[in-house]
Amino acid sequence: MCGIIGCTGRCEAAEVLTKGLRRLEYRGYDSAGVAVVDGDSMAIVKRAGRVDSIEPYVRALRGSTGIAHTRWATHGKVTDENAHPHASCDGRIAVVHNGIIENYRELREELEARGHRFRSDTDSEVIAHMLEDALRSFEDPLQALLAVCRELRGSYAFLAAGPALGDALLAARKDSPLVVGLAKGAVYASSDVYAFIEWTDDAYFLENGSVAVLRPGEVRAALLDGTPLEVRPVKVAFEMSEPDAGAYAHHTFREIMEQPEVVARALAPRPEVDEAARAISEASQVFAVGAGTSYHAALVARYVFADVAGLDVQPVLASEHGLFLRWMGPGSVVLAISQSGETADVLEAVRAAKSRGARIISVVNVPHSSLEREGDLSVNVRAGPEVGVAATKSFTAQLATLSMIALRMAGRPLPDPERARRLVSEALRLEPAARELGNRLKGSDDLYLVGRGVHYPLALEGALKVKELAYVHAEGLAAGELKHGTLAMIEDGTPVVLINPGDDTHSDTASNGEEMKARGAFIIGISDVESDLYDVHLRIPEARGVELPIVEAIPLQLLAYHLALARGAEIDRPRNLAKSVTVK
Ligand code: F6R
């Protein structure tokens, strides 16, 4: 995954790079590093750990040209040596890379045979050594860059800087995002506009499969076959997120608490929703593609579209899209659901479907993301910046947006945003109860979450939140499936969250709850209906139709948050994860 940023020209590299890295940490936070060029010398500071761990050293660096990286390890352990930037043997060029170089073993062997010495176990280091050689063979850095890229297989977005390039930066991208920011006398480049938006809002999104040489006031870009590209920047608008969690202890908690506003905003009618509804009603087949939480939104969409519009929407796990490609042809519509709009599996599915003639409707949160730009039509879910790694408010915003599309398609009235705001606010009042429950369950090794119908994907989503935030094994189950095996796991005191609102699933799910209770389960009921079945009742407000899954998500998120808090887990950045998963 990883995030990269670079700058050159009229700017303080140390400041731009540290601020940028903070904004890129959502892409990975195993290690961080910076290279700053000052005339004929280059300083590299890098370390396993967060940006905080290098910041004091970086602040001391002088220079206006530099590159930086925040890592999510793919090749090589999390060590100082494997942190980026990686330098060439002569120390005159350094590289930061996001992606995976698939043929790095062959390239490394060739380079070592030619005398290059490697210092890391990463795939990325080959690029620095290849550039060192290429810059000796080609006078024009653009040609050197092209020669290197033609040898690389895999996915990459990389930046290079160093005394060998003076005040120039080299940039290249294939299947990983890279955007250039143009300002008076300075140029920036990063995985994400968000990293340099403080300095400029003129952005040039590098085309997939292209390279560029960036100099203050000048950008030369070309396709990988050498065809020159015209550089046309666009104005980008971007909501800046709070740099800290404000009055809340964690970003994740703030984002959970923001949901009354978020849901109301997502439910506001907008032309893109109508356009999406029209496109779907004309489609021969509709797919909803996503990963993780966004896949759970796709599963909810299946129930919602069936219920309100009588339409069969096929949910597709992005990483498993291969099976479905044969049906993603002309006439079909793919709803591509993603918070970040950068998830590699989703982008791969979308590109494959698009090349077969399917129409892509992206349902994204991050503006200007790859998915938003690559879709035929884009509907933003309007959750605002989500900093916590666990998706919370983006999930409810996805549910609200997808429900609107379904209701519009069926010509049915849209939910009242003010009523939804009130319902979500009421559900958030369960926070003290969730805190108590978190403390009570903190010693549990397993948690089961059970639901039926549209509440089944909510059980899956609740389990995912518990796993990633609290590191507790959790399993989401369709209530009817219990007796087909998992019931064997239930014993005295096993905690079970029963998603059991008073709709047409109520009595069957309650019966399944009784079956578990008879075997000793400790039942936590999420319901608007009183019942002595529940050992603990998280009473949600009475919601109906498409409102229900949105309201149910709230106690599930609160429970996962408080379980994590009680167990002392790191909440905003769970171990081993990253906010944006840009590798397959
Ligand atoms: C879970 C979570 C992940 C993401 C998944 C897809 O809380 O955040 O499971 O949902 O990585 O990410 P997006 O939605 O950005 O495509």
Side-chain angles (χ1 to χ4, degrees):
M1 265 111 56
C2 314
I4 60 175
I5 177 163
C7 64
T8 186
R10 220 177 289 159
C11 56
E12 267 303 324
E15 186 187 3
V16 172
L17 300 178
T18 36
K19 282 192 169 170
L21 281 184
R22 285 198 186 289
R23 290 182 172 266
L24 289 170
E25 265 195 314
Y26 73 89
R27 303 176 72 90
Y29 37 79
D30 291 342
S31 48
V34 163
V36 174
V37 185
D38 190 13
D40 212 37
S41 68
M42 175 166 66
I44 295 183
V45 177
K46 58 181 192 169
R47 188 177 261 193
R50 303 275 159 89
V51 175
D52 289 347
S53 67
I54 58 164
E55 185 171 353
Y57 308 98
V58 177
R59 290 259 172 227
L61 302 178
R62 294 283 151 263
S64 56
T65 301
I67 52 176
H69 187 270
T70 176
R71 179 169 188 243
W72 185 83
T74 56
H75 290 68
K77 289 206 164 101
V78 181
T79 61
D80 293 350
E81 293 72 32
N82 288 338
H84 298 219
H86 296 292
S88 56
C89 292
D90 64 4
R92 293 182 57 74
I93 190 110
V95 166
V96 289
H97 166 231
N98 166 35
I100 292 176
I101 305 300
E102 286 164 7
N103 57 337
Y104 83 99
R105 283 179 204 281
E106 297 102 278
L107 293 170
R108 184 171 171 147
E109 272 168 30
E110 281 169 29
L111 287 158
E112 281 175 334
R114 289 210 299 274
H116 285 272
R117 305 285 285 264
F118 281 72
R119 298 182 193 94
S120 78
D121 306 319
T122 64
D123 53 333
S124 314
E125 192 182 340
V126 293
I127 304 172
H129 296 280
M130 289 166 80
L131 278 171
E132 177 182 348
D133 285 356
L135 285 165
R136 285 202 190 106
S137 311
F138 294 90
E139 213 170 295
D140 179 357
L142 190 79
Q143 295 308 321
L145 185 55
L146 284 169
V148 168
C149 290
R150 285 184 196 127
E151 300 284 312
L152 301 176
R153 281 206 317 271
S155 64
Y156 53 81
F158 70 80
L159 293 171
L165 294 165
D167 65 355
L169 295 179
L170 302 184
R173 91 161 268 231
K174 185 177 153 280
D175 297 337
S176 290
L178 193 56
V179 54
V180 173
L182 297 129
K184 225 171 167 193
V187 58
Y188 306 84
S190 179
S191 313
D192 188 339
V193 173
Y194 185 49
F196 60 68
I197 193 72
E198 186 172 346
W199 317 103
T200 179
D201 59 358
D202 282 321
Y204 167 59
F205 291 90
L206 274 184
E207 249 179 64
N208 199 16
S210 72
V211 299
V213 177
L214 317 175
R215 287 199 167 87
E218 189 206 14
V219 175
R220 272 171 75 209
L223 290 174
L224 287 179
D225 66 5
T227 312
L229 286 168
E230 197 188 330
V231 175
R232 264 189 259 143
V234 292
K235 278 266 177 240
V236 288
F238 211 102
E239 191 187 334
M240 306 275 284
S241 115
E242 295 285 315
D244 57 42
Y248 298 104
H250 300 99
H251 286 286
T252 306
F253 189 51
R254 174 173 59 83
E255 287 157 5
I256 292 173
M257 299 311 278
E258 268 174 27
Q259 290 177 103
E261 192 52 45
V262 165
V263 168
R265 197 163 59 216
L267 285 174
R270 44 203 192 272
E272 314 85 84
V273 167
D274 298 350
E275 241 180 283
R278 244 190 328 273
I280 290 172
S281 59
E282 288 161 6
S284 53
Q285 228 176 331
V286 182
F287 301 88
V289 179
T293 292
S294 298
Y295 173 66
H296 296 153
L299 289 174
V300 173
R302 163 168 242 182
Y303 288 93
V304 169
F305 272 90
D307 200 32
V308 308
L311 183 80
D312 178 30
V313 170
Q314 174 70 60
V316 176
L317 258 180
S319 55
E320 292 292 330
H321 71 273
L323 170 66
F324 299 90
L325 271 183
R326 68 201 77 187
W327 298 294
M328 292 176 173
S332 68
V333 161
V334 173
L335 279 166
I337 308 166
S338 173
Q339 188 286 129
S340 62
E342 299 294 350
T343 302
D345 291 327
V346 177
L347 289 172
E348 192 188 14
V350 158
R351 286 169 188 156
K354 198 170 175 172
S355 72
R356 282 167 168 77
R359 187 154 186 218
I360 311 298
I361 301 178
S362 65
V363 179
V364 279
N365 189 40
V366 176
H368 315 294
S369 54
S370 300
L371 187 58
E372 185 171 283
R373 285 179 291 111
E374 290 183 30
D376 296 300
L377 168 67
S378 183
V379 187
N380 195 286
V381 302
R382 298 175 156 189
E386 192 176 61
V387 178
V389 164
T392 52
K393 62 175 182 168
S394 62
F395 178 62
T396 47
Q398 286 168 342
L399 299 189
T401 305
L402 290 161
S403 300
M404 296 243 292
I405 298 174
L407 289 163
R408 265 285 188 249
M409 208 199 127
R412 302 216 349 220
L414 298 181
D416 172 9
E418 284 317 307
R419 183 182 141 84
R421 186 202 304 268
R422 185 173 49 73
L423 290 172
V424 174
S425 298
E426 276 177 43
L428 283 168
R429 288 196 207 125
L430 288 166
E431 200 258 323
R435 189 183 323 136
E436 211 179 303
L437 199 54
N439 280 320
R440 185 166 182 165
L441 298 182
K442 68 179 177 205
S444 304
D445 295 327
D446 305 288
L447 181 66
Y448 295 89
L449 297 98
V450 176
R452 183 178 286 269
V454 71
H455 316 296
Y456 164 46
L458 267 293
L460 297 175
E461 173 58 9
L464 181 62
K465 289 289 93 87
V466 168
K467 282 183 279 194
E468 69 179 324
L469 285 174
Y471 315 150
V472 170
H473 169 252
E475 211 173 315
L477 286 154
E481 274 293 290
L482 271 159
K483 54 190 173 295
H484 298 292
T486 311
L487 202 53
M489 299 293 294
I490 304 297
E491 51 190 18
D492 227 15
T494 306
V496 175
V497 175
L498 197 72
I499 308 176
N500 190 208
D503 64 359
D504 57 358
T505 64
H506 184 77
S507 67
D508 283 343
T509 304
S511 301
N512 300 130
E514 295 290 359
E515 289 154 15
M516 288 185 284
K517 193 165 174 128
R519 284 152 181 94
F522 175 76
I523 305 284
I524 300 144
I526 294 185
S527 181
D528 51 342
V529 181
E530 259 332 309
S531 166
D532 53 16
L533 165 65
Y534 313 139
D535 295 297
V536 170
H537 186 181
L538 296 177
R539 185 166 191 149
I540 50 171
E542 216 176 294
R544 51 177 185 251
V546 300
E547 297 164 346
L548 249 181
I550 296 173
V551 169
E552 284 164 4
I554 307 294
L556 294 168
Q557 295 168 353
L558 287 171
L559 174 58
Y561 172 77
H562 278 296
L563 195 54
L565 203 60
R567 289 169 58 85
E570 184 147 8
I571 289 176
D572 285 336
R573 290 173 191 153
R575 66 187 182 201
N576 306 339
L577 301 180
K579 181 88 186 139
S580 185
V581 185
T582 59
V583 291
K584 269 172 77 176

